[in-house]
Amino acid sequence: MVSGNIVIVGGGLAGATAAKTLRAEGYSGPVILLAEEGHPPYLRPPLSKDYLLGRAGEEALPVVPDGWYEDNGVELRLAAAAAAVDPGARRVTLRDGRTLDYSSLLLATGARPRRIPVPGSDLDGVSTFRTVDDSRRLREGLAGGGRKVVMIGSGWIGLELAAAASAYGNAVTLLGLEQVPLEAAVGRELGGFFRSLHEDHGVRFRLPASAAAIKGQSGRVTGVETDAGEVLPADLVIIAVGVVPEVALADAAGIALRNGILTDASLRTSAPGVFAAGDVANALHPYTGEHHRSEHWANALAGGKVAARAMLGMEAALDAVPYFYTDQFDVSMEYSGFASLASGPPTVRGSFEAKEFLAFWQREGRVVAGMSVNWPRSAKPQQTIKQLINTGTAVSPADLADPGVPLGGLVPAA
């Protein structure tokens, strides 16, 4: 069994899962988890969904129960940031000047919200969205209703926040660079479905459009001027235009980067004894033979487990089919697969109008991604989609679309 300090830099789901897995696999040596925030590691999906809407409380957020770190001998240091990594000396230097030696190091530094270089982005009432503190502040600003909200960004987080703001009774206008929201993620047809869903609940769209300036008075936001010259009144402006992987530590340490920290399938970086997991890791996936960086919680969960086992010298690879979900208004959506392989209109089973359907993307006759919207969980649609992807089963579009063909029957018998 590996001995010596294992240091985890990053207090999110990937880092906490790695610590939990190390103990579950029998590692009894020192584990030090450095969390830059002042909160124990927490789950991010509820922040833009049930927690933001007040349907879930604080108990929905922690990755592990209170007391787990102490009970399992994991040294959790809150508000502790790493300033430098020296792979040659196997040492981490903290911002307060203290140092930690390590036998293995996990970089789970996550990502930060992307900002836009427009005048007025520093006004009161203008915010990005990433942390639990962001969610609490936004909930306080939205909860009373009756406010004018401008959302800048037409991706998943932008739409989730727009749905929450609208559900609280606020007037929401959404700006995005695409012709259709989510067009880059799921295509024009599915993006159109989500646009209609939002419009049915009163959300207004300005697409394609960007913010040319954010207007204010006495230091407080009053509106957003678009590149077309339209001024949209605003009490709150939320910027949700994606995130940037936190690679500064790795970059300064000379660790290979490419859209994040480059790793192999076992999440090893170019530096001996250094691993990366979660939003920051651009990992080789055995299925595609290509590197993928995923910003979804399922990747952080799987990556934390794989990194921990790899640090212990076990055979481990990040080979799970990527997965994420979203909840917006009365729609619950799940998606499994490789968006980089999914192109063109999907094959659809079910009805957009009824808000209950499956969508499948294929390449050379094989399913590479699939979405389920309000589909009965008892049918296990995501399990079937993942099985179709993993087995590489060729399926006719007619069978995928035909509700008379049992979903489970599309998967070959083991």
Side-chain angles (χ1 to χ4, degrees), residues 125 141-142 145-151 165 169-173 204 220-224 232-238:
L142 297 175
R147 312 198 78 182
K148 299 179 182 69
V149 179
V150 174
M151 177 67 57
N170 300 287
V172 182
T173 303
R204 300 187 306 160
R220 178 79 194 180
V221 67
T222 58
V224 175
L232 303 169
D235 302 305
L236 293 172
V237 174
I238 308 163

Side-chain angles (χ1 to χ4, degrees), residues 8-11 15-16 19 31-35 41 69 74-78:
I8 301 170
V9 180
V31 176
I32 303 169
L33 176 57
L34 304 176
Y69 300 98
V74 172
E75 185 180 345
L76 174 62
R77 298 190 187 182
L78 301 179

Side-chain angles (χ1 to χ4, degrees), residues 31-339:
V31 176
I32 303 169
L33 176 57
L34 304 176
E36 188 166 358
E37 291 185 58
H39 310 286
Y42 56 86
L43 301 171
R44 294 193 189 275
L47 301 183
S48 57
K49 302 179 180 71
D50 283 353
Y51 184 78
L52 178 59
L53 285 164
R55 297 171 183 165
E58 302 296 326
E59 72 284 348
L61 298 183
V63 177
V64 297
D66 289 345
W68 183 90
Y69 300 98
E70 184 177 359
D71 292 345
N72 288 273
V74 172
E75 185 180 345
L76 174 62
R77 298 190 187 182
L78 301 179
V85 172
D86 184 342
R90 298 206 174 202
R91 181 171 297 128
V92 176
T93 300
L94 307 185
R95 285 185 186 166
D96 63 8
R98 289 182 292 174
T99 61
L100 293 170
D101 293 332
Y102 64 83
S103 58
S104 293
L105 172 69
L106 174 60
L107 296 175
T109 47
R112 67 182 184 277
R114 189 185 303 277
R115 297 186 177 274
I116 55 175
V118 299
S121 59
D122 59 346
L123 289 166
D124 287 345
V126 180
S127 65
T128 56
F129 188 91
R130 179 69 177 172
T131 69
V132 64
D133 292 330
D134 293 336
S135 185
R136 289 168 180 162
R137 281 192 297 267
L138 185 56
R139 182 171 59 187
E140 182 178 345
L142 297 175
R147 312 198 78 182
K148 299 179 182 69
V149 179
V150 174
M151 177 67 57
I152 301 175
S154 58
W156 292 113
I157 293 297
L159 288 180
E160 287 183 356
L161 298 180
S166 178
Y168 274 122
N170 300 287
V172 182
T173 303
L174 189 147
L175 308 181
L177 299 179
E178 301 170 293
Q179 295 282 344
V180 177
L182 302 172
E183 185 174 1
V186 295
R188 180 163 295 209
E189 188 175 8
L190 271 297
F193 166 79
F194 281 97
R195 174 171 181 158
S196 295
L197 170 69
H198 279 253
E199 287 178 332
D200 288 345
H201 288 84
V203 176
R204 300 187 306 160
F205 286 85
R206 295 292 186 271
L207 301 173
S210 60
I214 301 175
K215 303 293 187 178
Q217 187 173 357
S218 302
R220 178 79 194 180
V221 67
T222 58
V224 175
E225 182 179 355
T226 73
D227 54 353
E230 181 182 12
V231 177
L232 303 169
D235 302 305
L236 293 172
V237 174
I238 308 163
I239 300 171
V241 292
V243 296
V244 179
E246 289 280 17
V247 298
L249 280 176
D251 190 18
I255 296 171
L257 306 178
R258 189 172 76 210
N259 182 29
I261 300 175
L262 205 62
T263 78
D264 65 11
S266 298
L267 301 182
R268 298 181 184 90
T269 73
S270 62
V274 181
F275 299 75
D279 293 2
V280 76
N282 189 9
L284 180 67
H285 199 288
Y287 181 90
T288 64
E290 300 174 351
H291 285 81
H292 297 266
R293 190 177 67 81
S294 173
E295 297 163 2
H296 299 295
W297 71 271
N299 174 69
L301 182 66
K305 294 176 181 178
V306 169
R309 291 170 182 145
M311 285 191 287
L312 297 179
M314 303 169 66
E315 290 292 329
L318 187 60
D319 55 6
V321 174
Y323 166 88
F324 71 95
Y325 74 99
T326 186
D327 295 322
Q328 299 173 34
F329 300 113
D330 56 348
V331 162
S332 178
M333 186 283 285
E334 295 179 273
Y335 180 105
S336 295
F338 298 90

